[in-house]
Amino acid sequence: MSAVTIPGALADYLTDQFISDDETAAALDAAHRGRGRTLVIEPTSPRVLHVISRFAEHLLKYPSIRTRAQRDAARLWIKRAGHAPARMTHQFDDSGQAYNHTQCRDDIRDGDVLVIYSERVVGILVGAWPAAVTEAHGELHTLTAPAREIEGGAYAEAAEAAEQTARSYGFPLAVHTPVTYEVGARVREGNRLGTVTAVNVETFHLNTLTTTHDNVTITWDHGTESTIHPSHVEPAAEPTEDIEAQQAAAEVTEAEAVAGTWRGEWIGEQPAGDTLFDVEPAAEQGALFTEGDQPAREAVTVRMTPEPAGLARIRAKAAADREAYRAKMDERQAADHIAHGAPVPAAVQARIDARHAAEAAPEQGEQLPARRVIEGVIVGHAGTAKGSMPADAAHPNVIAARAALDSLAAALMTDHHDVSDPTEAEQDVRGYLVDPREGARVAVYWLEDGRTIRRDTPIDGAALDCLAHTLTRRGWKVEKMLRSSQCVFAHRPTD
């Protein structure tokens, strides 16, 4: 295909996004700048144009949070390259990656086909839920009815495309047995239990402008009522046998307790020759079941005295957190005034100047400020660093990893930041964190709300896959991750 020019504002927008489609990412990596801020690419197939159109359409979907230049660039691109297809097919390495990417990628939409060849899984995206149409489903959801029939047939075309893809690969399709219910049947939807009160109820679906006639009306045990398709619920057998068994056991236990026995044997007394020491029945074993012979118990008064050192640590930490929050609010307020051409309030500017003077004091040879205690750990004023702890900022592997991840957000770290239990002020930290390990190996974490996340964390867990993909594209060797992984282990390229 011939070279294509991406308008400047759209090119800048794409540069800041995570492009996980390999073909599109390769085309953008090989692009060169044109006139102004434009980007010239040489797409290898129409898919590259379709993916970019998806991003342009997503940009126009929320016009109020986009600049006018971005909106104009997106409209110009769509005018030249056209809209993206209503349905696209996406390939993934595993079903866990497929699930995570459907939650965060702008180029994956409702009704798209998902293919995980390594696990023999093909599925479609139903709203925000990736569901398999094949017998194997991996980490994807399963459907309780044929995909063509769910939501009043809204996904019939997507299901047809997914099933054709599965057949072309030889993957067996899922088999669904239709479920029917009678009035009075007990059903379950998740944790909800209810009773079917009407069958063959006619329902109009506004999203597809169609009417279905095989719905059921259910009155839930907590008092509400809903009309849904039978495929959304499952039979809920009443566990009568279990209940009767539990009641019988309770009656026997209660009778034995009243009689002062356990499993038919009275334990109120023990033969004198069978014990190592004298046992007082009423005060020892018999007291389990005889209320009248219980010895009187004296009330115990407990007084607690807080440890002074502990209170001092708590107060010091609270004071440090308040100071950090005040500094953050002062900087934000000053930036807002400057952005709108208004003078910064004198009190705010005075506090900012005082903090800057205190930070500059050590550079002038003055004595370092006293170390502050946080939860019993002494922390020095070593400053901050982006993408790593300040102590690791000059490590060559950290510098190389930051260069490879330059398109992603870097976490602003301090030496006292505890990623497992961040303070209130540290809960605003978000981005990647590089931790150098032995040799050329590094561990790259992703922080949300100041904490590290796991790969199986809903929505945010996909960030680890984004980190691994970006490092792989930059020539780093990435170790295979598990679903429970908390970081990406990668090795710095030797050449």
Side-chain angles (χ1 to χ4, degrees):
M1 298 182 66
S2 59
V4 179
T5 301
I6 304 176
L10 179 59
D12 293 340
Y13 175 76
L14 292 173
T15 302
D16 294 334
Q17 304 306 307
F18 172 66
I19 310 297
S20 57
D21 182 76
D22 292 337
E23 190 175 357
T24 307
L28 292 173
D29 285 344
H32 61 87
R33 286 291 180 181
R35 296 180 57 186
R37 297 175 7 247
T38 62
L39 201 62
V40 180
I41 63 172
E42 295 185 2
T44 53
S45 72
R47 178 178 177 80
V48 176
L49 306 181
H50 295 161
V51 171
I52 297 176
S53 293
R54 281 279 179 101
F55 279 96
E57 291 167 357
H58 180 80
L59 192 151
L60 292 173
K61 187 177 180 180
Y62 306 99
S64 61
I65 62 174
R66 306 301 180 189
T67 65
R68 179 174 180 177
Q70 289 177 330
R71 298 195 300 269
D72 292 343
R75 293 190 186 97
L76 179 59
W77 170 265
I78 293 174
K79 181 179 179 180
R80 293 175 178 175
H83 284 277
R87 181 177 57 259
M88 294 180 63
T89 300
H90 308 275
Q91 304 275 348
F92 302 96
D93 295 333
D94 57 70
S95 56
Q97 181 193 65
Y99 197 112
N100 289 334
H101 281 209
T102 59
Q103 308 302 303
C104 64
R105 279 174 52 177
D106 295 341
D107 60 317
I108 301 180
R109 292 183 184 171
D110 186 24
D112 279 1
V113 178
L114 317 172
V115 179
I116 306 95
Y117 187 83
S118 62
E119 300 180 20
R120 301 174 64 83
V121 176
V122 177
I124 59 175
L125 184 60
V126 182
W129 295 274
V133 300
T134 51
E135 183 178 287
H137 58 85
E139 299 294 334
L140 305 191
H141 296 284
T142 57
L143 296 170
T144 56
R148 302 166 183 266
E149 300 176 8
I150 61 174
E151 302 298 334
Y155 295 92
E157 293 183 4
E160 172 67 23
E163 291 172 1
Q164 288 183 0
T165 301
R167 293 190 192 98
S168 67
Y169 288 129
F171 300 162
L173 297 175
V175 178
H176 300 278
T177 303
V179 180
T180 58
Y181 298 99
E182 298 180 354
V183 174
R186 295 285 290 170
V187 294
R188 176 192 304 274
E189 182 190 35
N191 295 326
R192 296 197 299 177
L193 290 172
T195 304
V196 176
T197 55
V199 297
N200 298 326
V201 180
E202 183 178 291
T203 302
F204 178 73
H205 302 275
L206 183 61
N207 58 338
T208 58
L209 301 180
T210 58
T211 301
T212 55
H213 306 272
D214 56 346
N215 304 286
V216 293
T217 299
I218 302 171
T219 300
W220 302 105
D221 291 351
H222 58 259
T224 62
E225 184 179 87
S226 57
T227 299
I228 57 179
H229 193 269
S231 62
H232 292 179
V233 296
E234 59 183 0
E238 292 291 342
T240 54
E241 297 181 357
D242 293 342
I243 294 176
E244 291 175 357
Q246 292 175 4
Q247 291 176 345
E251 291 174 358
V252 171
T253 302
E254 182 178 359
E256 291 179 343
V258 172
T261 66
W262 179 250
R263 295 182 179 177
E265 297 181 4
W266 186 63
I267 63 172
E269 288 184 357
Q270 293 290 336
D274 293 343
T275 59
L276 297 176
F277 48 86
D278 294 336
V279 177
E280 185 180 351
E284 303 294 338
Q285 295 182 358
L288 295 173
F289 304 106
T290 56
E291 299 179 359
D293 298 333
Q294 292 279 3
R297 296 183 178 181
E298 298 180 0
V300 178
T301 303
V302 179
R303 294 183 175 86
M304 298 180 62
T305 303
E307 182 187 1
L311 286 177
R313 288 196 298 269
I314 294 173
R315 292 193 181 100
K317 182 176 182 299
D321 290 344
R322 284 194 299 272
E323 180 61 26
Y325 181 77
R326 170 60 66 86
K328 179 180 176 181
M329 292 299 103
D330 285 348
E331 296 289 349
R332 181 179 297 179
Q333 187 175 359
D336 289 343
H337 280 75
I338 295 173
H340 292 85
V344 179
V348 174
Q349 188 62 52
R351 289 195 297 267
I352 294 176
D353 293 341
R355 278 191 290 270
H356 289 175
E359 292 172 358
E363 300 178 1
Q364 300 171 4
E366 297 181 9
Q367 187 178 1
L368 284 171
R371 296 186 174 191
R372 59 191 180 96
V373 179
I374 300 180
E375 293 294 327
V377 179
I378 299 178
V379 179
H381 295 260
T384 60
K386 287 188 175 181
S388 71
M389 291 297 187
D392 300 328
H395 196 287
N397 292 341
V398 172
I399 296 174
R402 288 208 55 202
L405 300 171
D406 57 354
S407 61
L408 303 179
L412 183 62
M413 304 299 297
T414 62
D415 277 330
H416 60 76
H417 189 141
D418 184 354
V419 295
S420 63
D421 186 21
T423 65
E424 182 178 353
E426 293 167 348
Q427 291 176 7
D428 293 330
V429 176
R430 177 180 181 273
Y432 67 81
L433 168 64
V434 181
D435 181 20
R437 299 298 175 89
E438 69 283 354
R441 191 172 184 239
V442 297
V444 186
Y445 299 84
W446 185 265
L447 273 59
E448 288 287 344
D449 299 327
R451 301 175 182 269
T452 56
I453 54 97
R454 287 165 45 120
R455 191 184 180 205
D456 55 3
T457 302
I459 301 179
D460 295 332
L464 291 179
D465 289 303
C466 296
L467 291 172
H469 184 77
T470 303
L471 288 170
T472 302
R473 284 171 47 200
R474 298 298 176 87
W476 287 62
K477 182 180 178 181
V478 176
E479 299 179 15
K480 184 178 180 180
M481 290 189 292
L482 304 175
R483 282 191 56 78
S484 59
S485 294
Q486 292 184 323
C487 67
V488 178
F489 287 112
H491 297 262
R492 179 183 175 185
T494 55
D495 52 349

